Amino acid sequence: AIVSRSPWLAGLVILMFVLSMTYAVVRFITFRYRLTEDELITNEGILHRQERRIPINRVQDLGFEQSILRRVLGLVVVTVDTASGESAEAKLDSLGRPQAVTLREILLQQRARLLGEHAAAKEVPKEYVLHRASAMELLMRGLTNNRLGVILATLFGVWELLREFGLADLLIGV
């Protein structure tokens, strides 16, 4: 929109941004979850209200997802997986990291209680480091996973677009 200097396109971009932000905020405000002794219950939606009841004994895994921005803000997306295996049964969006860890501990304790595994719930499983990557290995991984190629191709495309509109000469002068 900026490059084409089209006011209607800029207005459309701003409108889409405002609509997507409004949707995200409304979804965040209307989403509720609660954990009972037997179920994890989620409620979401304004016009199309949806309630999910997930029996705790069916919960197989709680996954934590964090983007870079969420890591900086200390937020976690918790995905609840069950034995159905299709996709995440529920997503608990934007929980604080301490709350997510507490939720996982409580849910696993209740699951162990329901399944009659009291001894397993009290024992803390040992953790083993399978592989610790060096800085050089991480650098080589970053260089070989083709993200650098995508970034370079994008920069080349932007440069060619600027040349086409005559803005590249202005940047060279700067």
Side-chain angles (χ1 to χ4, degrees), residues 4-21:
S4 68
R5 295 185 179 140
S6 175
W8 69 269
L9 186 58
L12 182 64
V13 168
I14 291 170
L15 177 68
M16 293 302 292
F17 176 76
V18 169
L19 288 176
S20 65
M21 290 303 294

Side-chain angles (χ1 to χ4, degrees), residues 29-167:
I29 290 172
T30 61
F31 184 80
R32 300 279 183 262
Y33 75 93
R34 67 183 185 275
L35 186 62
T36 66
E37 289 186 15
D38 302 329
E39 295 178 317
L40 175 65
I41 302 167
T42 63
N43 294 308
E44 64 181 306
I46 293 176
L47 300 176
H48 178 69
R49 200 82 177 132
Q50 183 177 12
E51 179 178 296
R52 287 194 182 114
R53 293 177 169 267
I54 306 164
I56 291 177
N57 59 358
R58 285 189 45 219
V59 173
Q60 297 290 317
D61 186 34
L62 285 182
F64 289 5
E65 298 175 12
Q66 285 183 299
S67 64
I68 292 175
L69 180 60
R70 282 195 172 117
R71 226 175 298 155
V72 168
L73 297 174
L75 299 175
V76 178
V77 176
V78 179
T79 56
V80 180
D81 295 317
T82 61
S84 66
E86 291 178 11
S87 62
E89 192 73 28
K91 275 191 167 190
L92 309 177
D93 201 357
S94 299
L95 292 178
R97 180 86 177 160
Q99 290 84 10
V101 170
T102 303
L103 173 67
R104 177 173 44 197
E105 290 171 0
I106 292 171
L107 196 131
L108 291 177
Q109 286 174 358
Q110 287 181 341
R111 183 175 183 270
R113 180 189 54 79
L114 287 173
L115 297 175
E117 300 171 358
H118 295 287
K122 292 180 183 175
E123 291 181 15
V124 177
K126 292 183 179 179
E127 294 183 4
Y128 299 99
V129 176
L130 298 177
H131 176 71
R132 189 174 308 262
S134 67
M136 184 55 83
E137 289 173 325
L138 291 174
L139 179 64
M140 291 307 294
R141 163 105 172 122
L143 291 174
T144 59
N145 72 358
N146 203 19
R147 289 188 182 172
L148 183 63
V150 171
I151 291 170
L152 290 175
T154 303
L155 289 175
F156 179 73
V158 167
W159 179 255
E160 286 300 314
L161 184 66
L162 291 174
R163 279 190 43 207
E164 185 175 321
F165 286 105
L167 300 173

